[in-house]
Amino acid sequence: MMLNKQSVLSFSLALLISLLFSTNTLAQLSPASAPVPPAPTPPAAAPKPLVPSLPQSPSDSTPDTPSAVDIVGILRKAKSFNVLIRLMKTTQLINQLNSQLLTTKSGGITILAPDDSAFSELKAGFLNSLSDGQKLELLQFHVISDYVSSSNFDTLTNPVRTLAGAKPGKVELNVISYGGSVNISTGEVNTTINGIIYTDKHLAIYKVGKVLLPMDFFTVAKAPAKSPSLAPEPSAKAPKPDKEKTLSPDSSESSQTNPTNENSGTVKITAYGKWASFILGIVLVTIITT
């Protein structure tokens, strides 16, 4: 009986030791659990463009190299920009823009392009009345001397500098963006950007509703105000000559001496009267005494 208990106890210990050994072996063979990776953060949303894209806008596959850009070709593909293309060629502004794009390494240019209908709203004969220099200035006024993406118009500082240069009060372009639209004011014309014609990393072309006319074309040099002149003193009117009586030099002298002669005659008559009265008195006395 005692032997049976010892054998059972030995068997139990052996079984317990084998279980422990198998548990450690399995724990060592099982791979460690990999750490749970953190959830990826969603990429920041791109700023919403303030200007809508036109149907003629290029796709994302448009090459970004400036050498591949043809401004005239882009405007022709967009259609309804024939007047702008003609003016760019006659003023040779297109050569300046192409060379600027080829040499630029950072930045670029932004073109505000009015279509043919915008030019048709100008006063009849307006373009023909401009000199070659004014036509060039008019087109340069439509080119911002930096690249502005469709979502960065609200970052511009007014007045916005254009290729027309800086002329305070004459050539100033003010851009105001609010409510998902971009408004442009020149002081003479107010309009909006209607859509994107083309955009890449160095060139952006936007369609505007009107031709941007600078104040320089409407500034008229004012003549200096004249100082108020004093009223002339009234001059003494010369007596009008008597047309009925024409006096000779002799008659003028006689007219000056006549009053003296008349006065002397009056004195003589008075003296004669006194003597006559005296003599008459003496005669009367003599008659009475005799």
Side-chain angles (χ1 to χ4, degrees):
M1 187 71 179
M2 194 68 157
L3 182 62
N4 291 336
K5 289 183 178 180
Q6 290 178 352
S7 60
V8 171
L9 181 60
S10 299
F11 179 76
S12 299
L13 289 175
L15 182 63
L16 180 62
I17 292 172
S18 62
L19 289 174
L20 291 175
F21 180 76
S22 60
T23 302
N24 292 335
T25 304
L26 292 174
Q28 292 175 358
L29 294 176
S30 62
S33 58
V36 179
T41 57
K48 185 178 180 181
L50 298 174
V51 181
S53 298
L54 296 177
Q56 299 86 359
S57 298
S59 61
D60 295 337
S61 60
T62 302
D64 294 333
T65 56
S67 58
V69 175
D70 179 12
I71 297 176
V72 172
I74 293 171
L75 292 175
R76 282 177 178 168
K77 184 178 180 181
K79 301 178 181 179
S80 301
F81 292 93
N82 298 320
V83 178
L84 180 60
I85 293 173
R86 176 171 55 84
L87 290 175
M88 281 186 169
K89 288 183 176 181
T90 55
T91 59
Q92 298 183 358
L93 176 65
I94 189 63
N95 298 333
Q96 177 185 352
L97 298 180
N98 287 334
S99 62
Q100 186 170 345
L101 286 174
L102 289 173
T103 57
T104 186
K105 295 182 180 179
S106 61
I109 57 176
T110 301
I111 301 175
L112 305 174
D115 60 1
D116 294 339
S117 62
F119 279 101
S120 65
E121 295 179 1
L122 295 176
K123 184 178 179 181
F126 175 77
L127 290 178
N128 293 332
S129 66
L130 300 178
S131 63
D132 294 340
Q134 288 177 322
K135 290 179 181 178
L136 177 60
E137 180 179 329
L138 176 64
L139 292 187
Q140 289 176 333
F141 193 52
H142 289 73
V143 182
I144 300 176
S145 52
D146 200 0
Y147 170 76
V148 183
S149 67
S150 59
S151 57
N152 288 341
F153 278 99
D154 54 352
T155 63
L156 296 177
T157 302
N158 292 319
V160 179
R161 186 177 181 84
T162 66
L163 293 185
K167 297 180 182 178
K170 295 182 179 181
V171 184
E172 289 187 354
L173 191 69
N174 295 295
V175 178
I176 302 174
S177 60
Y178 65 93
S181 64
V182 179
N183 294 344
I184 299 177
S185 175
T186 69
E188 186 66 28
V189 174
N190 296 316
T191 187
T192 58
I193 296 181
N194 297 333
I196 303 172
I197 301 174
Y198 178 89
T199 182
D200 59 31
K201 294 182 179 179
H202 301 282
L203 172 65
I205 305 178
Y206 301 101
K207 179 183 177 182
V208 291
K210 294 182 180 180
V211 179
L212 306 177
L213 301 176
M215 288 292 295
D216 192 17
F217 287 4
F218 301 91
T219 303
V220 180
K222 297 182 179 180
K226 295 182 179 180
S227 58
S229 57
L230 298 177
E233 296 181 357
S235 58
K237 295 183 179 180
K240 296 181 179 180
D242 192 357
K243 295 182 179 180
E244 296 180 356
K245 297 180 181 180
T246 56
L247 299 178
S248 61
D250 295 338
S251 62
S252 63
E253 293 178 0
S254 61
S255 63
Q256 294 176 0
T257 56
N258 281 339
T260 306
N261 294 337
E262 291 177 357
N263 293 337
S264 61
T266 304
V267 173
K268 288 181 181 180
I269 292 173
T270 304
Y272 289 156
K274 289 181 179 181
W275 283 104
S277 300
F278 180 72
I279 293 172
L280 182 59
I282 292 175
V283 172
L284 289 177
V285 171
T286 303
I287 294 173
I288 292 172
T289 54
T290 55

